[in-house]
PDB file of all heavy atoms in Angstrom:
ATOM      1  N   ARG A  69      56.923 -17.832  92.100  1.00 98.00           N
ATOM      2  CA  ARG A  69      55.420 -17.445  92.221  1.00 98.00           C
ATOM      3  C   ARG A  69      54.552 -18.575  92.739  1.00 98.00           C
ATOM      4  O   ARG A  69      53.773 -18.413  93.561  1.00 98.00           O
ATOM      5  CB  ARG A  69      54.961 -16.978  90.954  1.00 98.00           C
ATOM      6  CG  ARG A  69      53.482 -16.649  90.949  1.00 98.00           C
ATOM      7  CD  ARG A  69      53.224 -15.587  92.143  1.00 98.00           C
ATOM      8  NE  ARG A  69      51.775 -15.503  92.310  1.00 98.00           N
ATOM      9  CZ  ARG A  69      51.068 -14.525  91.759  1.00 98.00           C
ATOM     10  NH1 ARG A  69      51.554 -13.700  90.890  1.00 98.00           N
ATOM     11  NH2 ARG A  69      49.654 -14.460  92.017  1.00 98.00           N
ATOM     12  N   PHE A  70      54.832 -19.663  92.210  1.00 97.00           N
ATOM     13  CA  PHE A  70      54.184 -20.954  92.615  1.00 97.00           C
ATOM     14  C   PHE A  70      54.450 -21.232  94.124  1.00 97.00           C
ATOM     15  O   PHE A  70      53.532 -21.470  94.875  1.00 97.00           O
ATOM     16  CB  PHE A  70      54.723 -22.145  91.818  1.00 97.00           C
ATOM     17  CG  PHE A  70      54.251 -23.529  92.425  1.00 97.00           C
ATOM     18  CD1 PHE A  70      52.870 -23.946  92.595  1.00 97.00           C
ATOM     19  CD2 PHE A  70      55.358 -24.296  92.989  1.00 97.00           C
ATOM     20  CE1 PHE A  70      52.705 -25.098  93.162  1.00 97.00           C
ATOM     21  CE2 PHE A  70      55.054 -25.488  93.636  1.00 97.00           C
ATOM     22  CZ  PHE A  70      53.682 -25.769  93.814  1.00 97.00           C
ATOM     23  N   ASP A  71      55.695 -21.008  94.592  1.00 98.00           N
ATOM     24  CA  ASP A  71      56.080 -21.235  96.002  1.00 98.00           C
ATOM     25  C   ASP A  71      55.358 -20.348  96.799  1.00 98.00           C
ATOM     26  O   ASP A  71      54.877 -20.648  97.930  1.00 98.00           O
ATOM     27  CB  ASP A  71      57.603 -21.118  96.134  1.00 98.00           C
ATOM     28  CG  ASP A  71      58.129 -21.299  97.570  1.00 98.00           C
ATOM     29  OD1 ASP A  71      57.901 -22.469  97.875  1.00 98.00           O
ATOM     30  OD2 ASP A  71      58.543 -20.380  98.085  1.00 98.00           O
ATOM     31  N   ALA A  72      55.354 -18.971  96.419  1.00 97.00           N
ATOM     32  CA  ALA A  72      54.694 -17.990  97.213  1.00 97.00           C
ATOM     33  C   ALA A  72      53.188 -18.207  97.353  1.00 97.00           C
ATOM     34  O   ALA A  72      52.544 -18.018  98.415  1.00 97.00           O
ATOM     35  CB  ALA A  72      55.004 -16.517  96.597  1.00 97.00           C
ATOM     36  N   GLU A  73      52.621 -18.660  96.224  1.00 98.00           N
ATOM     37  CA  GLU A  73      51.092 -19.134  96.279  1.00 98.00           C
ATOM     38  C   GLU A  73      50.807 -20.134  97.231  1.00 98.00           C
ATOM     39  O   GLU A  73      49.905 -20.202  98.022  1.00 98.00           O
ATOM     40  CB  GLU A  73      50.679 -19.414  94.813  1.00 98.00           C
ATOM     41  CG  GLU A  73      49.136 -19.218  94.491  1.00 98.00           C
ATOM     42  CD  GLU A  73      48.785 -17.827  94.694  1.00 98.00           C
ATOM     43  OE1 GLU A  73      49.423 -16.957  93.993  1.00 98.00           O
ATOM     44  OE2 GLU A  73      47.762 -17.498  95.382  1.00 98.00           O
ATOM     45  N   ALA A  74      51.730 -21.206  97.199  1.00 97.00           N
ATOM     46  CA  ALA A  74      51.578 -22.365  98.071  1.00 97.00           C
ATOM     47  C   ALA A  74      51.646 -21.860  99.532  1.00 97.00           C
ATOM     48  O   ALA A  74      50.867 -22.358 100.415  1.00 97.00           O
ATOM     49  CB  ALA A  74      52.527 -23.392  97.739  1.00 97.00           C
ATOM     50  N   THR A  75      52.630 -20.926  99.858  1.00 97.00           N
ATOM     51  CA  THR A  75      52.671 -20.458 101.232  1.00 97.00           C
ATOM     52  C   THR A  75      51.445 -19.767 101.558  1.00 97.00           C
ATOM     53  O   THR A  75      50.844 -19.823 102.850  1.00 97.00           O
ATOM     54  CB  THR A  75      53.987 -19.535 101.303  1.00 97.00           C
ATOM     55  OG1 THR A  75      55.120 -20.250 101.000  1.00 97.00           O
ATOM     56  CG2 THR A  75      54.036 -18.930 102.708  1.00 97.00           C
ATOM     57  N   ALA A  76      50.852 -18.812 100.708  1.00 97.00           N
ATOM     58  CA  ALA A  76      49.722 -18.139 101.016  1.00 97.00           C
ATOM     59  C   ALA A  76      48.519 -19.089 101.271  1.00 97.00           C
ATOM     60  O   ALA A  76      47.695 -18.860 102.114  1.00 97.00           O
ATOM     61  CB  ALA A  76      49.255 -17.062  99.891  1.00 97.00           C
ATOM     62  N   LEU A  77      48.418 -20.071 100.414  1.00 97.00           N
ATOM     63  CA  LEU A  77      47.322 -21.053 100.670  1.00 97.00           C
ATOM     64  C   LEU A  77      47.418 -21.839 101.938  1.00 97.00           C
ATOM     65  O   LEU A  77      46.383 -22.156 102.453  1.00 97.00           O
ATOM     66  CB  LEU A  77      47.385 -22.108  99.383  1.00 97.00           C
ATOM     67  CG  LEU A  77      46.979 -21.667  98.106  1.00 97.00           C
ATOM     68  CD1 LEU A  77      47.330 -22.631  96.996  1.00 97.00           C
ATOM     69  CD2 LEU A  77      45.401 -21.466  98.056  1.00 97.00           C
ATOM     70  N   GLN A  78      48.642 -22.145 102.354  1.00 97.00           N
ATOM     71  CA  GLN A  78      48.642 -22.716 103.800  1.00 97.00           C
ATOM     72  C   GLN A  78      48.370 -21.810 104.713  1.00 97.00           C
ATOM     73  O   GLN A  78      47.558 -22.057 105.688  1.00 97.00           O
ATOM     74  CB  GLN A  78      50.253 -23.259 103.864  1.00 97.00           C
ATOM     75  CG  GLN A  78      50.404 -24.104 105.100  1.00 97.00           C
ATOM     76  CD  GLN A  78      50.393 -23.449 106.481  1.00 97.00           C
ATOM     77  OE1 GLN A  78      50.677 -22.309 106.606  1.00 97.00           O
ATOM     78  NE2 GLN A  78      49.813 -24.020 107.446  1.00 97.00           N
ATOM     79  N   ARG A  79      48.613 -20.600 104.625  1.00 96.00           N
ATOM     80  CA  ARG A  79      48.249 -19.563 105.703  1.00 96.00           C
ATOM     81  C   ARG A  79      46.695 -19.305 105.666  1.00 96.00           C
ATOM     82  O   ARG A  79      46.063 -19.042 106.661  1.00 96.00           O
ATOM     83  CB  ARG A  79      48.864 -18.160 105.321  1.00 96.00           C
ATOM     84  CG  ARG A  79      50.454 -18.200 105.400  1.00 96.00           C
ATOM     85  CD  ARG A  79      50.876 -18.671 106.761  1.00 96.00           C
ATOM     86  NE  ARG A  79      52.368 -18.407 106.923  1.00 96.00           N
ATOM     87  CZ  ARG A  79      53.048 -19.151 107.744  1.00 96.00           C
ATOM     88  NH1 ARG A  79      52.702 -20.214 108.472  1.00 96.00           N
ATOM     89  NH2 ARG A  79      54.370 -18.884 107.764  1.00 96.00           N
ATOM     90  N   GLN A  80      46.095 -19.681 104.598  1.00 96.00           N
ATOM     91  CA  GLN A  80      44.620 -19.575 104.383  1.00 96.00           C
ATOM     92  C   GLN A  80      43.951 -20.827 104.816  1.00 96.00           C
ATOM     93  O   GLN A  80      42.722 -20.893 104.814  1.00 96.00           O
ATOM     94  CB  GLN A  80      44.220 -19.197 102.974  1.00 96.00           C
ATOM     95  CG  GLN A  80      44.720 -17.860 102.541  1.00 96.00           C
ATOM     96  CD  GLN A  80      44.802 -17.667 101.096  1.00 96.00           C
ATOM     97  OE1 GLN A  80      44.146 -18.450 100.343  1.00 96.00           O
ATOM     98  NE2 GLN A  80      45.391 -16.632 100.576  1.00 96.00           N
ATOM     99  N   GLY A  81      44.619 -21.875 105.280  1.00 96.00           N
ATOM    100  CA  GLY A  81      44.116 -23.136 105.793  1.00 96.00           C
ATOM    101  C   GLY A  81      43.797 -24.080 104.599  1.00 96.00           C
ATOM    102  O   GLY A  81      43.258 -25.238 104.916  1.00 96.00           O
ATOM    103  N   GLU A  82      44.349 -23.902 103.441  1.00 96.00           N
ATOM    104  CA  GLU A  82      44.045 -24.832 102.307  1.00 96.00           C
ATOM    105  C   GLU A  82      45.034 -26.067 102.324  1.00 96.00           C
ATOM    106  O   GLU A  82      44.826 -27.018 101.565  1.00 96.00           O
ATOM    107  CB  GLU A  82      44.139 -23.921 100.974  1.00 96.00           C
ATOM    108  CG  GLU A  82      43.048 -22.848 100.847  1.00 96.00           C
ATOM    109  CD  GLU A  82      41.653 -23.442 100.700  1.00 96.00           C
ATOM    110  OE1 GLU A  82      41.404 -24.678 100.505  1.00 96.00           O
ATOM    111  OE2 GLU A  82      40.707 -22.570 100.884  1.00 96.00           O
TER     112      GLU A  82
END
Side-chain angles (χ1 to χ4, degrees):
R69 177 51 191 269
F70 161 69
D71 180 67
E73 201 65 49
T75 299
L77 285 165
Q78 193 283 327
R79 298 305 190 201
Q80 296 162 14
E82 300 290 348

